Every structure is written in C-alpha cells, then in structure tokens.
Amino acid sequence: MEMKAYIEEAEKDLLHTYNRYQIVLERGEDVYLYDLEGKKYLDFCAGIAVFALGYSNDNYKNALKSQIDKIIHTSNYYYNVPAIEAAKALLKASGMSRVFFTNSGAEAIEGAIKAARKYAFLKDGKTDHEIIAMEHSFHGRTMGALSVTGNPKYREAFEPMIGNIRFANMNDIDSVRANINEKTCAIILETVQGEGGIYPAEEGFLKEIRKICDEKDILLILDEIQCGMGRTGYMFAWQKYGVKPDIMTSAKGLTCGIPGGAFLLGEKAAENSLKAGDHGTTYGGNPLVAAATKTVLSEYERLDILGNVKTVGDYLYKKLDELASKYDIIKAHRGIGLMQGLEFDVPVADIIKDCMDNGLILINAGTNIIRFVPPLVIGEGHVDDMIKILSASIEKVK
Ligand SMILES: *Cc1c(COP(=O)(O)O)cnc(C)c1O
C-alpha cells in the first residue's frame, strides 16, 4: 500500500485524538527517520524527547533482543534481575532512596500523587489534603495527572478533577505562598516546563520552594519526565540547582522508546507513604522494560551523554539566539541543553510543515512555540543542518 492509502486507513480506524502530520514513519537510523516512501528526515523531535540514544544504538537494541529471548514479562509478585539492576542504577544517578517502575509518565505522576497523599494521611489521618501545581504545566492525560495540569483547555470537558488542587504561577513565589495552608501536602512542578512552552524554573524560585516545603513538611514533587534523563546536560534538571525533590517522576528518555516510567522517593517519603497493597501495576518494571532502562543508563555513561548535551546544547543555544536576533517574528528564546524553544509572533504550524517538506522534523509546544528536543547524541553539524532548513522556512513566512 502507498503512504497515502495507509493514512486514509488510519483516519478511518484510529480515534481522532491527534491531528497527525501526513507521513508514515517506517524506520530510524542514527538521528534520521525515514518514511514509507524512503524520504529522509533529520529528527529534532526524538519521539517527543524520548529517543535520547538515537535509532542506531546497538547495545540498546541487543539488550532488548537478548531479553526477549530470555523472558519478556513475569509479574511484580516475583523479582527479576533487570529490574533490580535498573533500580540500582537509577537510584545511583538520582540520589533518591526507592523507585517504583510504571508504564508511562502519566502513571508515574499518579503514583507520586498517591504517595504524597498517603504521607499526609499517615501524619494527621485527614482526607482533605491539597496539592499546589503550576499554571502552564503538563503532567499527563490520566485523571490525576490531568488534575495537576495547568492548561484549563485540557481539563474542562473532563471535570470534576480529583479535587483539592490549587494553581500557582511558575517563578512567582508569592503566588505559591498565597496558596499554602495547613492542608497542603505537596507542591508539584516540572523543573523545566516542556509542553507548556519551555519555561525553566528559576534557581531562586526552586530554592525558596524547597525551603517552604522543609519548614512546613510539604513534599516537593519534581516532574522530570521531559527535562530529566540528561536533556538539560544534567542527569536530572534539579541537579543543576542542587534542589532535591522528595518525590521525582521520570519517563520518556528513561526507557528510550519501550513504554515505561518511574516515580522515585527520597528517604522521608519512602519510609512514610505507600506500603504493601497501596499501589501496583501488572507491567511496570517488567524484565523487557527494565532491560531497556538499565541499558539506557549504562549507555549514558559509556557515551558521556551529559557532556555531549552540554557542548551541543550550548552550540544550539548560540545558533537559536542568532536566529532570534535575525528575525523579528521570533519573540523569545528559552531553554537549557537540548531542551529549547523559540516563541514566535505567529502560529508555527506552517513553519513546521515546511521544514518537514524539506526533511526536518520539529514539534511545537503550544501554538506559537517551536520546541527543540532532538536525540541527545546529535552533533553540531546536525544543528547547522537544522538551522539551515529552519531559516529557509522562516524566510517564507516572515
Ligand atoms: C510527557 C509528559 C508526561 C506524560 O507522560 P506520558 O508517558 O505521555 O504519560 C508528564 N509530564 C511531563 C513533563 C511530560 O513531558
């Protein structure tokens, strides 16, 4: 079948929750994707900040293949070696105390919320605890994750939410303070907001939140699902600021394409929250996903992914700054490492479409922002190639 015919089939069969770009992707190589017609694309999306290692990492592929031959799934009623090794590596990389493996980012957020509520419940036996989340945040599409997601458009039709959620403004400590009361059990935020438009938390803001949480025994939950796993040049973005969360969520790059996620607890939350019977999952941390996680973490070390992100991230920053000063329709440039955004005066859909026609895959974050979240193995030459295609597309709309 031809690409167009496949797209027509898809439009008939799949629930229409996405306005998809009109290509069918078939395979990946290095940091390039190929569609069914063999057209090659430079990938600056990485499956939405997922495929950190690119598409040709043999150690990753071989680890999965050999795990498939051994066993794919057992159950959390038993132990398995890949999960034990993955947990050890993840705790070492994060400095957290305990981990629960999930199947996705949203599910990691659900677990984090449950752990925070349980922590508060064990303290005072009450069931009316509140969580403070941020405007412009994105934490996922399940009901709990949606409840702490800042965009009212995502929530409205699905009300009522889980309840007792208050929204404060990112980088506005007074708005956080104004929402705190004796019921507050947790403050949740992305260390760098992704979907909402690439807004990094400021160091002072994070440190002040940490202080408030310590004073009032409120748990700080940092969502590192997009900004974690090396994307900012730090394994987890909070490590740049030295502000350690009580609970942290991870997914996306954590497993590099095999569906998975995790929530991790610091000692205080680990010792005083979820106990046997409180939480579970059929698939979470199964041998196949754990083999992926463990190999991703060892490949990060072997390939010095953090070093590469720092170097190439700085280069990307310089190049996007040049672009921003050259074109008046670019209003702002934000981000850290290989998680950056350009905010335009105009909707970016046409620019992204034109780039795709010219062999470059980019994604938006909101209507007016282009988000740059490439595989973490790209080099400066790939940045140059991307800038060349993007500039040409901007020239057409400016
Ligand atoms: C993608 C994302 C999620 C949700 O992850 P899923 O795996 O899609 O459920 C949550 N938080 C952040 C910051 C994300 O970027």
Side-chain angles (χ1 to χ4, degrees), residues 283-323:
Y283 282 140
N286 90 5
L288 183 66
V289 185
T293 308
K294 149 189 123 140
T295 310
V296 166
L297 288 162
S298 60
E299 285 299 283
Y300 267 56
E301 280 196 28
R302 188 181 69 85
L303 299 169
D304 186 24
I305 292 291
L306 301 185
N308 190 58
V309 173
K310 284 194 176 110
T311 309
V312 182
D314 284 351
Y315 187 73
L316 175 66
Y317 203 90
K318 195 178 96 191
K319 289 288 158 184
L320 290 180
D321 253 3
E322 284 171 18
L323 219 59

Side-chain angles (χ1 to χ4, degrees), residues 202-272:
E202 286 162 12
E203 181 167 354
F205 177 71
L206 267 186
K207 288 195 159 146
E208 205 54 39
I209 287 195
R210 182 66 271 178
K211 215 165 95 194
I212 294 170
C213 286
D214 289 340
E215 278 165 18
K216 300 188 182 294
D217 197 21
I218 293 168
L219 297 181
L220 172 58
I221 305 172
L222 290 180
D223 180 349
E224 292 264 344
I225 291 168
Q226 186 160 160
C227 64
M229 288 307 290
R231 191 144 287 282
T232 63
Y234 296 81
M235 198 57 171
F236 297 102
W238 56 262
Q239 291 168 336
K240 177 175 160 74
Y241 307 112
V243 174
K244 192 175 170 187
D246 300 296
I247 303 176
M248 179 184 94
T249 55
S250 181
K252 294 199 163 95
L254 177 68
T255 46
C256 277
I258 295 283
F263 63 94
L264 296 93
L265 309 172
E267 197 176 334
K268 184 170 86 170
E271 296 311 312
N272 306 289

Side-chain angles (χ1 to χ4, degrees), residues 46-344:
I48 317 188
V50 168
F51 252 102
L53 298 172
Y55 301 98
S56 296
N57 184 298
D58 283 338
N59 289 346
Y60 176 77
K61 289 186 187 183
N62 291 334
L64 293 180
K65 286 173 191 168
S66 69
Q67 190 58 50
I68 286 172
D69 286 340
K70 268 190 215 155
I71 190 162
I72 292 174
H73 179 74
T74 53
S75 152
N76 281 308
Y77 285 128
Y78 317 100
Y79 303 97
N80 76 74
V81 172
I84 294 165
E85 291 176 351
K88 186 72 69 200
L90 191 53
L91 295 179
K92 180 167 168 247
S94 63
M96 303 296 280
S97 295
R98 283 176 191 272
V99 56
F100 182 101
F101 289 114
T102 67
N103 305 293
S104 67
E107 206 189 316
I109 297 289
E110 299 292 332
I113 292 171
K114 280 180 74 175
R117 282 188 167 180
K118 180 79 191 289
Y119 178 85
F121 175 78
L122 286 175
K123 263 196 319 189
D124 62 15
K126 293 185 179 159
T127 53
D128 60 351
H129 297 109
E130 296 182 354
I131 295 173
I132 299 173
M134 299 296 142
E135 298 288 357
H136 295 294
S137 63
F138 180 84
H139 297 290
R141 303 295 198 144
T142 54
M143 289 308 293
L146 194 59
S147 300
V148 290
T149 286
N151 188 341
K153 268 201 310 221
Y154 288 164
R155 297 194 311 259
E156 192 183 8
F158 310 102
E159 299 276 354
M161 296 288 112
I162 64 168
N164 289 22
I165 309 294
R166 291 166 173 262
F167 287 96
N169 294 318
M170 186 84 154
N171 295 326
D172 175 356
I173 198 67
D174 291 336
S175 79
V176 175
R177 280 215 180 84
N179 280 298
I180 288 178
N181 58 44
E182 69 289 346
K183 295 182 192 168
T184 311
C185 72
I187 300 175
I188 182 169
L189 68 150
E190 300 154 82
T191 320
V192 182
Q193 288 186 332
E195 210 72 26
I198 315 288
Y199 291 95
E202 286 162 12
E203 181 167 354
F205 177 71
L206 267 186
K207 288 195 159 146
E208 205 54 39
I209 287 195
R210 182 66 271 178
K211 215 165 95 194
I212 294 170
C213 286
D214 289 340
E215 278 165 18
K216 300 188 182 294
D217 197 21
I218 293 168
L219 297 181
L220 172 58
I221 305 172
L222 290 180
D223 180 349
E224 292 264 344
I225 291 168
Q226 186 160 160
C227 64
M229 288 307 290
R231 191 144 287 282
T232 63
Y234 296 81
M235 198 57 171
F236 297 102
W238 56 262
Q239 291 168 336
K240 177 175 160 74
Y241 307 112
V243 174
K244 192 175 170 187
D246 300 296
I247 303 176
M248 179 184 94
T249 55
S250 181
K252 294 199 163 95
L254 177 68
T255 46
C256 277
I258 295 283
F263 63 94
L264 296 93
L265 309 172
E267 197 176 334
K268 184 170 86 170
E271 296 311 312
N272 306 289
S273 64
L274 302 175
K275 292 283 175 294
D278 277 343
H279 198 55
T281 163
T282 299
Y283 282 140
N286 90 5
L288 183 66
V289 185
T293 308
K294 149 189 123 140
T295 310
V296 166
L297 288 162
S298 60
E299 285 299 283
Y300 267 56
E301 280 196 28
R302 188 181 69 85
L303 299 169
D304 186 24
I305 292 291
L306 301 185
N308 190 58
V309 173
K310 284 194 176 110
T311 309
V312 182
D314 284 351
Y315 187 73
L316 175 66
Y317 203 90
K318 195 178 96 191
K319 289 288 158 184
L320 290 180
D321 253 3
E322 284 171 18
L323 219 59
S325 49
K326 184 164 168 205
Y327 296 110
D328 289 342
I329 60 166
I330 301 176
K331 252 175 44 181
H333 171 211
R334 294 183 290 270
I336 310 171
L338 291 175
M339 181 174 185
Q340 297 188 36
L342 284 180
E343 185 171 349
F344 287 71

